[in-house]
Amino acid sequence: MPINWDKFQNDIDGLADEAGERTDAKLASRISSVTRLTDDEVKKLFPDPADVKKLAELMEIVKKAGDRNEKINKIVANIEEFGGIVVTLLGKLA
């Protein structure tokens, strides 16, 4: 029996989308468990899973032991990576 490649690709695309949505929900849940944000707020503010990962990295820097200057230096060293996250968070707070 020949394979209908168009249908196959559509099925794969659909499965990938479903997996991505489940992953996005899990990411949002983990972030909301350690912040004041709800799952829905996390998903709305950071729809891209890569941004959620950056947010988690930024939160780790801020919450990890160490003095204030060390934390600032780490953030400054990675500002290009964290810039969008900072703008989004401040937009939510302002």
Side-chain angles (χ1 to χ4, degrees), residues 41-62:
E41 288 173 320
V42 173
K43 287 184 221 176
K44 183 178 176 185
L45 291 171
F46 307 103
D48 184 354
D51 287 341
V52 177
K53 185 176 182 329
K54 290 176 191 173
L55 173 61
E57 291 170 11
L58 180 59
M59 289 171 42
E60 180 181 358
I61 291 170
V62 171

Side-chain angles (χ1 to χ4, degrees), residues 9-41:
Q9 190 60 44
N10 285 338
D11 290 346
I12 295 297
D13 291 344
L15 291 170
D17 288 344
E18 288 175 24
E21 289 169 9
R22 284 192 305 270
T23 300
D24 292 350
K26 287 180 183 179
L27 286 170
S29 178
R30 291 292 291 156
I31 294 296
S32 68
S33 73
V34 296
T35 67
R36 295 179 183 169
L37 299 171
T38 66
D39 289 6
D40 288 337
E41 288 173 320

